[in-house]
Amino acid sequence: FLQIGRFKNFNIALSGLFMCLLNAAGAASHRDKAIVLPHPIHVSSRGEITIGALSITYGGGGRIAVSSGSDGEQWTRAMKYFLTDLKWLVTF
């Protein structure tokens, strides 16, 4: 996905991290069909990644949107969902 702004590299790295979790979850569910992440990760046709219906993009379009209000809270919740999914996956 194309993004202009000061958090571009961070968001690219974050996307890679989420793709690793998604691939690991896919491998685990291939071995055991009962394994489903508590917070599903989706990749849109444009390459945007969401977890539990929350965007993982930090900073929104080059401005520091996450530093104030609900944007920061939503991003923090998305990261909490990531850690929950990771912890849940590690237990299997």
Side-chain angles (χ1 to χ4, degrees):
F1 60 91
L2 178 63
Q3 180 179 357
I4 299 173
R6 61 191 281 185
F7 299 111
K8 179 182 175 188
N9 290 337
F10 179 76
N11 285 326
I12 290 170
L14 195 57
S15 296
L17 184 62
F18 272 77
M19 292 306 294
C20 288
L21 179 63
L22 186 59
N23 290 338
S29 68
H30 182 63
R31 291 176 53 126
D32 183 356
K33 300 294 182 196
I35 296 176
V36 178
L37 293 177
H39 306 288
I41 299 172
H42 296 285
V43 181
S44 74
S45 60
R46 297 185 332 185
E48 297 171 354
I49 301 173
T50 59
I51 183 167
L54 298 173
S55 174
I56 68 161
T57 302
Y58 184 87
R63 65 188 194 289
I64 305 178
V66 295
S67 64
S68 62
S70 65
D71 288 340
E73 292 170 11
Q74 287 183 3
W75 186 83
T76 301
R77 186 173 297 124
M79 296 306 107
K80 181 179 177 182
Y81 289 174
F82 171 82
L83 292 174
T84 301
D85 282 356
L86 180 61
K87 181 179 177 182
W88 192 85
L89 189 59
V90 167
T91 61
F92 288 99

